[in-house]
Amino acid sequence: MDSLIAPPATPEGAVTKIEFRNIQKVYRVKKENGGGYDDFVVLKDFNLDVYAGEFLTLVGPSGCGKSTLLDLLAGLIPLSGGEIRIDGRIIDGPAMDRGFVMQAYALFPWLNVQANVEFGLTIKKVPKKERRAISGHFLELVGLTAFANRYPHELSGGMKQRVAIARALAFDPEVLLMDEPFAALDAQTRETLQDELLDLWEKTGKTVVFVTHSIDEAVYLADRIAVLASNPGRLIELVNIKLSRPRQGSRGSAEFGWIRHKIWRYLQNDEGGQEPIPELGVPNVAEVIDSRAAL
Amino acid sequence: MSTKTADAQVAIANPALTATKVNPGASLPIGKVLKPLGAFFRGFAIIFIIIGLWEAFPRFGWIDPFLLPRFSDVVTGFFTLLKTGEFFKHFNVSIARISSGFFGGLCLAIPIGIFMGWFKTFEEYVNPLVEACRNSSVLTLYPIFILLFGIGEQAKIAIIMWGTTWVVLLNTIAGVKNVDSVLIKSARSMGVGDLTLLWKVILPAATPSIITGIRLGAANSILILIAAEMIGSNSGLGFMIFYFEARYAIPEMYAGVIFLALMGVTVHEILCRVESYLTSWHEKSIYFGT
């Protein structure tokens, strides 16, 4: 088992990039029957370290606070308790050391593709010539050079998300935050974009924090998966994914299926939390290793 | 245009489609030539028929030519007005009134609208008042304006401003308020401050709505201008029309009416062009034919 997934152990030489310390997030909601407020706990005692350059996915059911966690990390909403640090500095608001990619693309419809990619650079007051060079580079990376002068409404969903990724990378953030970026895409486009994203990640060396509700997507992309449970949102399991990269074609493999099932079991078991996961008659550790050897 | 290109691309991508689309005979090119011309004729045919009837009815004595002079006499009357310079005297006065009233209204309404759209609680306080002002008939207020400003230029400019302001204000508020929150989130995530957000995100996103308000405000301001000039005035196009009517200069009166109609159409057309130029990024529906 340890050959494929392992409990969280600090890998050798890993440098901590992001620290979540005792994160609390509470929303005040109006009581249903008349006056007063109830506290709705979205996140409780959440602790996590994200290593520099790693691809971390947050997976969990809706309402587990995974998107809230990303908004907190982006500095878009205030914490109710605890602190988040990047390179040891406490986060107190949004800044360009983090790039955010959303499910809804959020491209500016009045700007063409190139101007969208350059948006953050304009905010940074990068001179025009330099801006052109940078946007050209990233449009080439996402394969949209020919579409530089098109407007968002002329693009397909997959192309829009490529532009959004290029826009987030263009101002050179250290961390890329992705909130279910591929959830609105069709299955084929999603898989293509997953591969493109891994490619970009390897080329740029960014730290990626990726939220998804798809176990399959989480396993395919991640170095590590943080499994969250809801009510209140909390971390129940941290899983190292030791599938070798590149992972094209690995989805059908026994190892992949086994890890996916394991994560699924964690999510099923979130009530008890500590209960051991039964071995279910699916390939056990030895078998998995055997089948790998056979390949 | 874009849909045509898309069709062409589909056709290229799918040879089977092109094969089935081939039309026997040369009817297609003729259809292509006639289609835009047809739209042009459809629009103007009715107008030409009405002009023809207008010419025919007084000419053949089917209607009293004093009440409805021949169309050709109306055209002649218009050229006489141009020649004597009487028309320009009134035209210039009207343009001066409408431009100060209309642009004054814009200068007031757009900044206030942006402010109100931004501060939503403020908007909640004043919204009922704005609605009441917009929906009250402007001309019923004219006596109050005359009372306050006298019968001079001020009252006319003020009432035109009034008629422009509310519709522009409401559209500006709606435009600012309804900016897609995802766009704001996206900009905020890049650490954008309030002013930059306003300038780079909220204003561009609200532009279509603001322009619609401006277009409606312009139409309003022409209506109010003419009415105001008819009520208490001794110059301007509205006055001119009443003056000719009182002097039984009926062809000239009709010339004035037609000119105002043309002016309204022209202003509308110009603003529509500006609107489509400034909002060319807007998603156009492909489900309605051109």
Side-chain angles (χ1 to χ4, degrees):
Chain A
M1 184 205 257
D2 289 342
S3 62
L4 287 178
I5 68 174
T10 312
E12 261 176 68
V15 181
T16 302
K17 185 80 186 170
I18 307 165
E19 299 162 68
F20 292 95
R21 288 286 171 268
N22 305 316
I23 301 302
Q24 319 280 341
K25 182 64 192 175
V26 180
Y27 283 116
R28 309 211 76 184
V29 285
K30 268 200 180 119
K31 269 184 185 161
E32 272 174 39
N33 45 0
Y37 289 89
D38 269 334
D39 284 346
F40 177 70
V41 182
V42 186
L43 285 163
K44 198 182 175 199
D45 296 327
F46 184 91
N47 285 288
L48 178 67
D49 281 357
V50 183
Y51 306 124
E54 85 166 323
F55 200 122
L56 179 103
T57 58
L58 298 168
V59 65
S62 36
C64 71
K66 56 193 191 299
S67 290
T68 306
L69 212 51
L70 220 54
D71 285 352
L72 290 167
L73 178 51
L76 289 165
I77 52 174
L79 285 158
S80 307
E83 58 184 37
I84 305 174
R85 289 169 187 268
I86 293 185
D87 293 330
R89 284 171 283 114
I90 288 184
I91 286 178
D92 56 358
M96 284 186 155
D97 55 350
R98 287 148 281 158
F100 204 125
V101 178
M102 285 178 261
Q103 184 187 330
Y105 319 125
L107 299 179
F108 302 109
W110 56 88
L111 299 178
N112 66 21
V113 165
Q114 184 171 41
N116 260 291
V117 174
E118 290 176 9
F119 187 87
L121 301 168
T122 324
I123 303 296
K124 259 186 167 177
K125 301 209 161 48
V126 175
K128 190 173 177 179
K129 218 174 163 185
E130 212 176 313
R131 264 187 354 234
R132 282 290 124 93
I134 295 170
S135 64
H137 170 69
F138 282 99
L139 283 175
E140 200 185 323
L141 272 184
V142 297
L144 287 177
T145 308
F147 293 86
N149 295 318
R150 296 295 187 94
Y151 283 84
H153 76 263
E154 300 173 290
L155 307 180
S156 68
M159 288 156 93
K160 282 183 197 171
Q161 202 53 287
R162 286 186 183 96
V163 177
I165 293 170
R167 180 178 63 179
L169 288 171
F171 54 83
D172 199 27
E174 292 162 42
V175 183
L176 198 55
L177 313 179
M178 309 187 84
D179 191 3
E180 304 198 24
F182 306 146
L185 303 173
D186 63 89
Q188 275 176 308
T189 310
R190 189 182 313 140
E191 290 186 10
T192 313
L193 275 166
Q194 286 167 357
D195 285 331
E196 289 181 17
L197 175 63
L198 288 176
D199 195 42
L200 281 171
W201 168 65
E202 270 158 27
K203 278 180 183 153
T204 57
K206 305 286 178 203
T207 308
V208 180
V209 181
F210 188 107
V211 163
T212 179
H213 61 254
S214 157
I215 300 173
D216 187 273
E217 184 167 71
V219 175
Y220 188 73
L221 296 172
D223 289 331
R224 286 193 307 158
I225 300 180
V227 185
L228 275 72
S230 51
N231 286 327
R234 64 203 187 277
L235 184 67
I236 47 171
E237 209 64 56
L238 252 175
V239 184
N240 280 344
I241 306 298
K242 294 187 170 175
L243 289 171
S244 59
R245 297 182 190 270
R247 291 175 181 169
Q248 274 102 325
S250 71
R251 276 178 225 269
S253 71
E255 295 95 325
F256 194 94
W258 185 79
I259 295 170
R260 184 170 48 200
H261 188 79
K262 214 70 176 160
I263 306 282
W264 182 79
R265 289 295 299 183
Y266 286 136
L267 286 167
Q268 293 297 302
N269 263 18
D270 72 0
E271 297 302 311
Q274 303 307 316
E275 269 177 57
I277 293 162
E279 281 302 334
L280 291 176
V282 286
N284 64 26
V285 193
E287 279 172 1
V288 170
I289 290 165
D290 281 349
S291 71
R292 272 182 113 193
L295 284 172
Chain B
M1 193 64 200
S2 59
T3 49
K4 269 178 201 158
T5 341
D7 277 347
Q9 277 166 357
V10 169
I12 291 161
N14 188 347
L17 238 165
T18 3
T20 54
K21 264 196 169 175
V22 167
N23 238 344
S27 61
L28 204 80
I30 294 170
K32 265 184 188 160
V33 173
L34 276 183
K35 208 188 167 198
L37 265 182
F40 183 79
F41 275 123
R42 273 200 295 278
F44 281 86
I46 300 283
I47 290 175
F48 283 131
I49 288 168
I50 287 173
I51 289 175
L53 290 175
W54 188 340
E55 185 66 28
F57 267 66
R59 184 176 288 271
F60 297 119
W62 297 334
I63 194 167
D64 186 348
F66 175 73
L67 297 178
L68 186 73
R70 282 183 270 172
F71 186 75
S72 50
D73 288 345
V74 173
V75 174
T76 318
F78 184 63
F79 280 110
T80 318
L81 285 179
L82 291 183
K83 227 183 281 173
T84 60
E86 194 173 2
F87 170 79
F88 292 107
K89 196 182 83 193
H90 294 294
F91 180 73
N92 292 344
V93 170
S94 288
I95 288 295
R97 285 174 185 153
I98 202 171
S99 40
S100 18
F102 175 66
F103 289 109
L106 295 190
C107 292
L108 213 64
I110 295 175
I112 296 177
I114 291 166
F115 180 80
M116 283 172 65
W118 183 280
F119 296 101
K120 281 166 191 148
T121 24
F122 180 65
E123 196 252 339
E124 280 166 21
Y125 278 104
V126 289
N127 192 45
L129 177 72
V130 174
E131 283 291 343
C133 290
R134 185 186 69 146
N135 290 310
S136 63
S137 168
V138 183
L139 290 171
T140 58
L141 298 169
Y142 197 41
I144 302 172
F145 277 81
I146 291 177
L147 197 67
L148 291 174
F149 296 103
I151 54 164
E153 293 305 292
Q154 283 177 349
K156 292 176 189 67
I157 292 170
I159 194 111
I160 294 167
M161 258 175 94
W162 179 274
T164 309
T165 302
W166 302 112
V167 65
V168 178
L169 184 69
L170 283 168
N171 276 280
T172 307
I173 294 170
V176 171
K177 229 169 60 171
N178 297 332
V179 175
D180 192 347
S181 59
V182 158
L183 297 181
I184 297 176
K185 184 178 176 183
S186 173
R188 286 287 196 205
S189 76
M190 295 183 223
V192 163
D194 282 357
L195 262 182
T196 317
L197 186 74
L198 184 69
W199 192 244
K200 293 257 180 198
V201 179
I202 291 180
L203 275 185
T207 299
S209 184
I210 296 174
I211 301 271
T212 304
I214 292 176
R215 194 157 49 76
L216 297 172
N220 268 0
S221 65
I222 293 178
L223 289 179
I224 295 163
L225 166 81
I226 302 305
E229 287 177 343
M230 283 177 169
I231 291 170
S233 183
N234 53 17
S235 60
L237 293 172
F239 164 79
M240 185 187 85
I241 291 169
F242 255 43
Y243 174 73
F244 287 140
E245 193 262 351
R247 278 196 357 187
Y248 302 122
I250 304 303
E252 285 79 3
M253 181 199 82
Y254 277 109
V257 171
I258 291 174
F259 176 79
L260 280 174
L262 289 176
M263 189 169 114
V265 171
T266 310
V267 168
H268 174 80
E269 199 52 38
I270 290 172
L271 286 172
C272 282
R273 296 277 163 89
V274 172
E275 184 172 16
S276 76
Y277 173 75
L278 283 179
T279 61
S280 57
W281 50 269
H282 229 222
E283 202 153 346
K284 288 186 188 72
S285 177
I286 54 164
Y287 304 110
F288 297 100
T290 44

